[in-house]
Amino acid sequence: MLKIVPYPHPALRYPSKPITQFNGELKEIVREMFGLMYEARGIGLAANQVALPYQLFVLNITGDKESPEDELVFINPEIVKRTSTARDEEGCLSFPELYGKVFRAKRVRVRALDLEGNPFEVEADDLMARAIQHETDHVRGRLFIDLLSPLDKLAIGKKVQGFEKAFREAQERGEYAGDDELRRQLDDLASRSPV
Ligand code: ZN
């Protein structure tokens, strides 16, 4: 059973490992990730956000589970071209109710593998380009709050501290292991990568 883990769970800072096996377990993980994403009303979800240290994210920019034809799976994603920039608001399922304006490339070309392990490339712009950049950052252990302006970072400081406090309290209650143990689990999963 996967679940979306909140900031500052160490998985969110973990540089994930590439996937090299494309089996039923991988398909099961992807199915579960789409389910969690729809439930949380998101448009994208990276494996890091469910505490899995694999280079994988799912996307459906309609956010509508009745629109499965818009579902995309990116494995071992790499942005190979960035064009122009745009600043717009972003949120993240690891930071519920937190939003901030982030500069991103307006248009990107991304190279990835699909669920069968076949390489593909897509060009995307605007919302989809933004989502691809946000999710590709996740699998590198980077977060959108890193990209806010100094002023915006100050403005959200209290909320971020709130997330930190809530997570530490959840650890004290035993809902999550301590950071060292969580990192050990991530290392363990990553060493057994592919899933
Ligand atoms: Zn996110």
Side-chain angles (χ1 to χ4, degrees), residues 12 44-46 49 91-95 134-135 138 142-144:
L12 295 169
L45 187 68
Q49 296 179 277
C92 179
L93 295 180
S94 305
F95 298 84
H134 179 113
E135 302 305 333
H138 268 304
R142 290 193 294 248
L143 298 168
F144 86 109

Side-chain angles (χ1 to χ4, degrees), residues 43-127:
I43 60 167
L45 187 68
N48 289 55
Q49 296 179 277
V50 294
L52 291 178
Y54 307 125
Q55 291 185 17
L56 157 71
F57 68 84
V58 300
L59 203 69
N60 181 341
I61 59 162
T62 69
D64 183 358
K65 68 171 177 231
E66 305 303 328
S67 188
E69 65 276 16
D70 294 308
E71 290 182 351
L72 290 168
V73 178
F74 294 79
I75 294 167
N76 307 344
E78 195 187 341
I79 292 169
V80 292
K81 194 176 165 198
R82 293 178 162 83
T83 315
S84 188
T85 57
R87 187 169 184 249
D88 208 345
E89 194 160 83
E90 279 181 34
C92 179
L93 295 180
S94 305
F95 298 84
E97 313 293 321
L98 181 70
Y99 302 93
K101 288 206 164 182
V102 179
F103 277 107
R104 298 279 189 190
K106 189 173 163 51
R107 186 173 183 81
V108 294
R109 184 166 187 83
V110 60
R111 187 180 293 156
L113 303 177
D114 66 16
L115 261 180
E116 313 300 328
N118 300 311
F120 68 94
E121 285 194 13
V122 286
E123 286 217 5
D125 53 18
D126 299 323
L127 178 62

